[in-house]
Amino acid sequence: MKKIILLFLLFISINSFAQLNYQSANVINAAGTYTDLAATGTAITTNFGGGPMTFDDENSSTQSIGFNFSYNSTTFTQFVLNTNGFIILGSAAPSANNIFYTGFQAVTGGCILAPDNNLIYVFNHDLQGGTSPEFRVATSGSAPNRVCTIQYKNMADKIGTTQYGNMNFQIKLYEGSNKIEFIYGAWTANANAST
């Protein structure tokens, strides 16, 4: 009986570890290049309550990844973009439009620990549109090595006094390896004092 329990515990332990490969030990910081999707990507529009785009606390409609992407033991083909610097995998919008840290140095007190699963945060703060903001998605390459790039262009921080008028960053999802990459481009600083 002891052998069966031990084997069962070993199976559970190996199986649980294998299902979620996004461990902090696997994270690396590597040089990358932010390449603006410009007109090569498809524009992603958002709205708030059916109104016009304000680029503030909004979700997009469901967007296609272009291939199967495995995350958190589930295979996804779609995502929903949120203007506050994250995506949620799948076809359902997050539980709230305003999921973000409440301060630049905040560790607690924000509503980042939402009841949602499958969130990927590239830069999770209260954001709004900067100068000519836009969101784009593009899937490049050929199977089985495609890459889905989700771009945030010209976003501004909104907590306290705006410190960056235009921030550019991307999320890249890799087919096959299921690797997630964050690419940060140019940020335009304002003369405002640090919050």
Side-chain angles (χ1 to χ4, degrees):
M1 185 66 168
K2 286 182 184 179
K3 287 182 182 179
I4 293 173
I5 292 172
L6 181 60
L7 286 174
F8 179 71
L9 291 175
L10 182 62
F11 173 76
I12 294 286
S13 138
I14 290 170
N15 197 27
S16 339
F17 179 75
Q19 289 183 12
L20 185 57
N21 293 324
Y22 296 98
Q23 312 273 327
S24 59
N26 295 336
V27 173
I28 60 169
N29 188 5
T33 303
Y34 175 93
T35 304
D36 187 354
L37 293 179
T40 61
T42 302
I44 299 174
T45 58
T46 63
N47 64 23
F48 183 73
M53 269 174 90
T54 64
F55 298 94
D56 184 21
D57 297 339
E58 297 178 352
N59 294 313
S60 72
S61 59
T62 303
Q63 305 295 311
S64 176
I65 294 172
F67 51 84
N68 290 339
F69 183 79
S70 294
Y71 181 80
N72 204 12
S73 303
T74 306
T75 300
F76 296 95
T77 59
Q78 300 172 317
F79 69 91
V80 174
L81 175 140
N82 182 278
T83 58
N84 289 314
F86 70 89
I87 63 170
I88 184 169
L89 296 172
S91 59
S95 59
N97 290 358
N98 60 343
I99 300 173
F100 52 78
Y101 278 117
T102 57
F104 287 112
Q105 292 81 21
V107 176
T108 60
C111 53
I112 192 168
L113 298 176
D116 303 296
N117 292 316
N118 308 315
L119 299 173
I120 299 175
Y121 299 98
V122 61
F123 186 75
N124 183 245
H125 281 284
D126 192 6
L127 300 177
Q128 62 188 349
T131 306
S132 302
E134 69 175 19
F135 309 106
R136 290 192 174 272
V137 62
T139 300
S140 57
S142 55
N145 299 305
R146 292 172 286 192
V147 180
C148 176
T149 304
I150 302 139
Q151 176 172 286
Y152 290 74
K153 183 176 179 180
N154 296 332
M155 297 302 290
D157 58 284
K158 189 180 167 189
I159 300 171
T161 305
T162 298
Q163 294 178 29
Y164 290 93
N166 289 307
M167 298 183 286
N168 301 296
F169 44 88
Q170 298 171 332
I171 299 170
K172 291 185 178 242
L173 306 176
Y174 286 79
E175 182 180 25
S177 68
N178 300 306
K179 180 172 81 171
I180 300 170
E181 189 173 59
F182 299 149
I183 305 289
Y184 299 93
W187 290 26
T188 306
N190 292 331
N192 298 331
S194 171
T195 304

